[in-house]
Amino acid sequence: MSFFKKLFGGNSDENENYDEENYNEISDEDEPFIKPYDFYIEADDRHNAEKTFEANSPQSVDILKKLEEMDLAFDIVNHFGIRRKLKKLYSDLAFEIDEYVSYEGGRSADSSDTEEIDDIEYEIYVCISKKDDNSPFEIKLSITADQE
C-alpha cells in the first residue's frame, strides 16, 4: 500500500487526485480547460468583392443578405459600420430611383461611402439602374479595400 493510501485511507476517492511520486496534490484547476495546439491561422485576405443582380423592385431587396452572399472575410461582412453605411446608401438610392415616372432612355443612381477597419479603408459602392420601363432593376454592390 502506498504512503498516501496509508495516510488518507485505502478506498477514498480523494486519493486519485494525488501524484505519488512528487507527493503533491494534482488539482483540476492546474490543467487548462482547452489544451493548446501547435497550429497557425492564416489571415483571411478576402477584402474585395462585387455582386450584380436584378430585382423587380429595389425596395424588396434585403441588401444585408446580399452582402452576406458576397465572397468577403467574416470580419468585413459582420462589421457594424459597413452594414450600417451600406443599408443607408442602399435605402437612399432605392428611394431616389423609385421617384422616376418613366425609365425610358435609362436611369441610374449610384453612391459610395468609406469605412475603416484595422487601418484598411474600405469603399462601399452601390449602383441601381434600369434600362427602360419593361426591364428589371440592375443592382451593383461593391466592397473594395484601399491597401497602401
Side-chain angles (χ1 to χ4, degrees):
M1 190 175 264
S2 75
F3 171 75
F4 284 106
K5 286 184 182 177
K6 288 180 187 177
L7 184 64
F8 295 107
N11 294 329
S12 175
D13 290 336
E14 294 174 356
N15 293 339
E16 295 175 10
N17 289 331
Y18 292 98
D19 180 3
E20 294 181 16
E21 291 179 12
N22 297 323
Y23 301 106
N24 293 325
E25 184 174 342
I26 299 173
S27 169
D28 292 336
E29 297 171 7
D30 293 342
E31 292 187 32
F33 180 70
I34 299 173
K35 296 187 183 210
Y37 294 99
D38 292 329
F39 67 90
Y40 300 94
I41 299 173
E42 291 187 25
D44 194 344
D45 290 333
R46 297 175 298 158
H47 295 283
N48 302 311
E50 186 175 300
K51 183 170 188 72
T52 303
F53 55 95
E54 294 181 346
N56 291 329
S57 169
Q59 301 290 347
S60 67
V61 173
D62 183 1
I63 198 65
L64 296 179
K65 184 172 171 105
K66 295 297 183 183
L67 173 67
E68 291 168 2
E69 293 172 0
M70 295 174 71
D71 188 30
L72 287 167
F74 180 79
D75 293 344
I76 299 167
V77 171
N78 290 310
H79 190 270
F80 177 74
I82 296 273
R83 294 173 75 88
R84 180 176 45 89
K85 288 183 178 182
L86 174 62
K87 191 159 179 106
K88 172 106 173 84
L89 275 176
Y90 186 77
S91 64
D92 291 347
L93 291 175
F95 178 76
E96 180 183 330
I97 199 106
D98 261 353
E99 291 291 307
Y100 290 109
V101 176
S102 174
Y103 297 97
E104 286 305 319
R107 305 275 188 214
S108 71
D110 67 329
S111 186
S112 66
D113 202 348
T114 59
E115 179 69 21
E116 185 175 325
I117 305 172
D118 297 331
D119 298 328
I120 301 174
E121 192 82 19
Y122 289 93
E123 180 185 21
I124 307 158
Y125 174 77
V126 178
C127 178
I128 304 173
S129 61
K130 189 167 181 168
K131 295 178 185 172
D132 56 41
D133 289 334
N134 298 326
S135 65
F137 288 94
E138 185 177 285
I139 302 162
K140 180 180 179 182
L141 171 60
S142 162
I143 308 283
T144 29
D146 183 21
Q147 296 175 325
E148 294 179 1

